[in-house]
Protein backbone atom coordinates (compact mmCIF):
# COMPACT_ATOMS: atom_id res chain seq x y z
CA UNK A 1 0.00 0.00 0.00
CA UNK A 2 1.25 3.47 -0.89
CA UNK A 3 0.51 6.45 1.28
CA UNK A 4 1.79 10.00 1.67
CA UNK A 5 4.29 9.05 4.35
CA UNK A 6 5.86 6.31 2.22
CA UNK A 7 6.12 8.64 -0.76
CA UNK A 8 8.00 11.18 1.38
CA UNK A 9 10.22 8.46 2.87
CA UNK A 10 11.17 7.34 -0.63
CA UNK A 11 11.39 10.74 -2.41
CA UNK A 12 12.00 13.24 0.39
CA UNK A 13 9.89 16.32 1.06
CA UNK A 14 7.50 18.06 -1.38
CA UNK A 15 10.26 20.24 -2.77
CA UNK A 16 12.48 17.25 -3.47
CA UNK A 17 9.61 15.41 -5.13
CA UNK A 18 8.75 18.44 -7.26
CA UNK A 19 12.41 18.86 -8.31
CA UNK A 20 12.47 15.18 -9.29
CA UNK A 21 9.33 15.54 -11.41
CA UNK A 22 10.77 18.62 -13.17
CA UNK A 23 14.13 16.87 -13.71
CA UNK A 24 12.43 13.78 -15.17
CA UNK A 25 10.35 15.96 -17.46
CA UNK A 26 13.46 17.77 -18.71
CA UNK A 27 15.32 14.48 -19.18
CA UNK A 28 12.42 13.25 -21.32
CA UNK A 29 12.60 16.41 -23.39
CA UNK A 30 16.37 16.10 -23.83
CA UNK A 31 16.00 12.49 -24.96
CA UNK A 32 13.21 13.27 -27.40
CA UNK A 33 14.81 16.46 -28.78
CA UNK A 34 18.59 16.07 -28.88
CA UNK A 35 20.46 19.37 -28.82
CA UNK A 36 22.29 20.23 -32.03
CA UNK A 37 24.46 23.34 -31.89
CA UNK A 38 25.30 22.93 -35.57
CA UNK A 39 21.60 23.35 -36.50
CA UNK A 40 20.06 25.66 -33.92
CA UNK A 41 17.07 26.62 -36.11
CA UNK A 42 16.30 22.92 -36.65
CA UNK A 43 16.63 22.27 -32.93
CA UNK A 44 14.26 25.18 -32.24
CA UNK A 45 11.70 23.71 -34.65
CA UNK A 46 11.88 20.26 -33.08
CA UNK A 47 11.68 21.76 -29.59
CA UNK A 48 8.63 23.83 -30.62
CA UNK A 49 6.93 20.67 -31.89
CA UNK A 50 7.74 18.73 -28.73
CA UNK A 51 6.46 21.47 -26.45
CA UNK A 52 3.20 21.67 -28.41
CA UNK A 53 2.73 17.94 -27.89
CA UNK A 54 3.84 18.11 -24.22
CA UNK A 55 2.60 21.43 -22.80
CA UNK A 56 3.03 20.11 -19.26
CA UNK A 57 6.79 20.54 -19.66
CA UNK A 58 6.43 24.31 -20.05
CA UNK A 59 3.96 24.45 -17.18
CA UNK A 60 6.33 22.52 -14.93
CA UNK A 61 9.36 24.63 -15.78
CA UNK A 62 7.36 27.83 -15.40
CA UNK A 63 6.05 26.72 -12.03
CA UNK A 64 9.55 25.70 -11.01
CA UNK A 65 10.83 29.22 -11.72
CA UNK A 66 8.04 30.70 -9.64
CA UNK A 67 8.71 28.35 -6.74
CA UNK A 68 12.50 28.55 -6.81
CA UNK A 69 14.10 31.50 -8.57
CA UNK A 70 17.55 29.98 -7.97
CA UNK A 71 18.17 26.94 -10.15
CA UNK A 72 18.98 23.51 -8.76
CA UNK A 73 22.56 22.44 -9.60
CA UNK A 74 21.31 19.60 -11.83
CA UNK A 75 19.45 22.07 -14.06
CA UNK A 76 22.49 24.36 -14.27
CA UNK A 77 24.64 21.36 -15.19
CA UNK A 78 22.17 20.40 -17.93
CA UNK A 79 22.80 23.74 -19.67
CA UNK A 80 26.61 23.60 -19.49
CA UNK A 81 27.12 21.17 -22.41
CA UNK A 82 24.72 23.15 -24.58
CA UNK A 83 26.61 26.39 -23.93
CA UNK A 84 29.91 24.61 -24.62
CA UNK A 85 28.50 23.12 -27.84
CA UNK A 86 27.37 26.54 -29.06
CA UNK A 87 30.82 27.98 -28.23
CA UNK A 88 32.44 25.11 -30.14
CA UNK A 89 30.13 25.66 -33.11
CA UNK A 90 31.06 29.35 -33.05
CA UNK A 91 34.78 28.48 -33.06
CA UNK A 92 34.21 26.19 -36.06
CA UNK A 93 32.11 28.98 -37.64
CA UNK A 94 29.02 26.74 -37.81
CA UNK A 95 27.23 29.32 -35.67
CA UNK A 96 28.46 32.64 -36.97
CA UNK A 97 26.91 35.09 -34.56
CA UNK A 98 29.12 37.09 -32.22
CA UNK A 99 26.48 36.89 -29.48
CA UNK A 100 27.68 35.07 -26.33
CA UNK A 101 26.68 31.37 -26.28
CA UNK A 102 24.58 31.73 -23.13
CA UNK A 103 22.64 34.58 -24.77
CA UNK A 104 22.22 32.59 -27.99
CA UNK A 105 20.62 29.76 -26.02
CA UNK A 106 18.44 32.10 -23.93
CA UNK A 107 17.21 33.91 -27.03
CA UNK A 108 16.63 30.66 -28.90
CA UNK A 109 14.60 29.22 -26.02
CA UNK A 110 12.67 32.48 -25.77
CA UNK A 111 11.81 32.33 -29.46
CA UNK A 112 10.78 28.71 -29.18
CA UNK A 113 8.42 29.29 -26.27
CA UNK A 114 7.18 32.77 -27.24
CA UNK A 115 3.77 31.69 -28.57
CA UNK A 116 3.01 29.31 -25.71
CA UNK A 117 4.08 31.92 -23.15
CA UNK A 118 2.37 34.86 -24.86
CA UNK A 119 -0.56 36.48 -23.10
CA UNK A 120 -3.91 34.91 -24.00
CA UNK A 121 -5.00 38.48 -24.86
CA UNK A 122 -2.22 38.76 -27.44
CA UNK A 123 -2.90 35.29 -28.85
CA UNK A 124 -6.59 36.21 -29.21
CA UNK A 125 -5.62 38.94 -31.68
CA UNK A 126 -4.14 36.45 -34.17
CA UNK A 127 -5.92 36.18 -37.52
CA UNK A 128 -6.74 32.51 -36.79
CA UNK A 129 -7.57 30.62 -33.60
CA UNK A 130 -4.34 30.60 -31.55
CA UNK A 131 -3.90 26.81 -31.56
CA UNK A 132 -5.12 26.19 -35.11
CA UNK A 133 -2.61 23.86 -36.84
CA UNK A 134 -2.18 26.23 -39.80
CA UNK A 135 -1.61 29.18 -37.43
CA UNK A 136 1.01 27.17 -35.54
CA UNK A 137 2.70 26.12 -38.80
CA UNK A 138 3.06 29.76 -39.86
CA UNK A 139 4.32 30.79 -36.42
CA UNK A 140 6.81 27.89 -36.39
CA UNK A 141 8.16 28.96 -39.80
CA UNK A 142 8.59 32.56 -38.59
CA UNK A 143 10.30 31.34 -35.42
CA UNK A 144 12.78 29.30 -37.47
CA UNK A 145 13.56 32.34 -39.65
CA UNK A 146 14.20 34.34 -36.46
CA UNK A 147 16.44 31.55 -35.13
CA UNK A 148 18.39 31.57 -38.40
CA UNK A 149 18.84 35.34 -38.13
CA UNK A 150 20.10 34.88 -34.57
CA UNK A 151 22.86 32.55 -35.70
CA UNK A 152 24.16 34.81 -38.48
CA UNK A 153 26.59 37.66 -37.88
CA UNK A 154 24.82 41.05 -37.74
CA UNK A 155 26.71 42.34 -40.78
CA UNK A 156 25.22 39.64 -43.05
CA UNK A 157 21.60 39.98 -42.00
CA UNK A 158 19.10 41.60 -44.34
CA UNK A 159 16.88 44.58 -43.61
CA UNK A 160 16.79 45.64 -40.00
CA UNK A 161 20.48 44.92 -39.50
CA UNK A 162 22.24 46.64 -36.68
CA UNK A 163 25.04 47.44 -39.10
CA UNK A 164 27.37 45.02 -37.36
CA UNK A 165 27.08 46.68 -33.96
CA UNK A 166 25.85 44.73 -30.98
CA UNK A 167 24.77 46.82 -28.02
CA UNK A 168 26.16 45.62 -24.73
CA UNK A 169 25.49 47.03 -21.31
Amino acid sequence: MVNKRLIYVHFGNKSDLFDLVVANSLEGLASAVPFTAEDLPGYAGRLFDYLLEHPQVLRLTGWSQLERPEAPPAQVDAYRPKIAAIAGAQQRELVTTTVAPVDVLALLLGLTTAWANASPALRSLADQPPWDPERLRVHRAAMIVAAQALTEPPSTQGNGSTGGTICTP
Side-chain angles (χ1 to χ4, degrees), residues 125-136:
L125 296 173
D127 57 352
Q128 293 172 298
W131 303 109
D132 179 81
E134 178 61 17
R135 173 76 184 84
L136 294 172

Side-chain angles (χ1 to χ4, degrees), residues 55-145:
Q56 71 277 11
V57 174
L58 274 180
R59 285 193 299 272
L60 274 171
T61 57
W63 192 257
S64 177
Q65 289 179 14
L66 290 171
E67 287 292 315
R68 288 178 226 23
E70 58 285 331
Q75 287 183 22
V76 173
D77 290 343
Y79 283 113
R80 288 186 199 285
K82 292 178 174 111
I83 301 301
I86 293 170
Q90 284 177 322
Q91 288 174 349
R92 294 187 313 277
E93 297 182 1
L94 299 171
V95 173
T96 56
T97 183
T98 57
V99 176
V102 69
D103 293 320
V104 170
L105 185 58
L107 290 165
L108 187 73
L109 295 175
L111 285 169
T112 304
T113 61
W115 190 248
N117 288 332
S119 161
L122 176 60
R123 288 193 306 250
S124 75
L125 296 173
D127 57 352
Q128 293 172 298
W131 303 109
D132 179 81
E134 178 61 17
R135 173 76 184 84
L136 294 172
R137 186 191 67 73
V138 169
H139 178 85
R140 182 186 190 276
M143 183 267 307
I144 288 174
V145 168

Side-chain angles (χ1 to χ4, degrees), residues 1-12:
M1 179 176 189
V2 175
N3 61 37
K4 186 176 176 180
R5 183 182 160 284
L6 285 176
I7 290 172
Y8 289 145
V9 165
H10 185 71
F11 293 106

